[in-house]
Structure formats: structure tokens, C-alpha cells
Amino acid sequence: GVPNTLVAGCKVSSGVMQQSTCLQVVRNGELVHEGQLQSLRHHKDVVKEVKEGSECGVVVQGFEGYEEGDEIKCINRVHTKRTKL
């Protein structure tokens, strides 16, 4: 676990939240923070993913300023190599 860290209680509204994603904390349509997902829990168990409709607890690396109503968005970045046609 991560000692002395604020955990955001969340419900996954669409898609899947996965362990290795980057998260954006959005408040009133404004980006407040972007960071790596540090901890993902379902009930008290550490899990690799949480599916749509499920509740979970998340810790966003470097952020503890959550407010009720904040949205946490998962960003999957895909790196591709450019090729000549």
C-alpha cells in the first residue's frame, strides 16, 4: 500500500480503468492535474483493472487535492513508428 496518501473513491462510468494508464483530474471542465495511476483498488484488493459500472479507489501520483465532483479520465497513449509509404 501507499502510506498517508489520499485515495479518490470513484465509479467507472465507461470503459475500463487499467493499472498502467495516465490519469487526468478534471474539475468543471478544466484540467487540474495529470499523472500516473499509482494505486488501483477494488474494495480492499489491489487490482490490475476495474470495469465499467464498478467502484474503485485510485491514487494519482503527485496529487491529493481531490474535490467532490471531480472527474478522473484515463488516457491511453499509443506510441507508433512512422513509416514511409
Side-chain angles (χ1 to χ4, degrees):
V2 183
N4 301 321
T5 305
L6 188 61
V7 177
C10 304
K11 184 170 186 177
V12 179
S13 59
S14 65
V16 176
M17 184 176 286
Q18 295 178 320
Q19 185 65 43
S20 60
T21 55
C22 182
L23 301 180
Q24 292 181 333
V25 181
V26 178
R27 182 175 302 141
N28 300 321
E30 297 285 323
L31 179 63
V32 176
H33 180 80
E34 183 171 304
Q36 207 58 32
L37 176 60
Q38 188 171 337
S39 174
L40 179 62
R41 292 180 179 263
H42 180 66
H43 298 290
K44 293 196 181 242
D45 301 321
V46 174
V47 295
K48 292 187 179 189
E49 69 176 32
V50 178
K51 295 183 177 163
E52 186 173 325
S54 297
E55 293 183 350
C56 61
V58 299
V59 175
V60 181
Q61 189 173 24
F63 186 73
E64 292 191 352
Y66 306 105
E67 291 183 10
E68 189 173 340
D70 285 353
E71 288 182 68
I72 298 178
K73 297 184 177 187
C74 299
I75 307 298
N76 282 330
R77 293 197 166 96
V78 178
H79 297 282
T80 58
K81 289 185 178 180
R82 290 185 178 199
T83 57
K84 290 185 177 182
L85 296 177

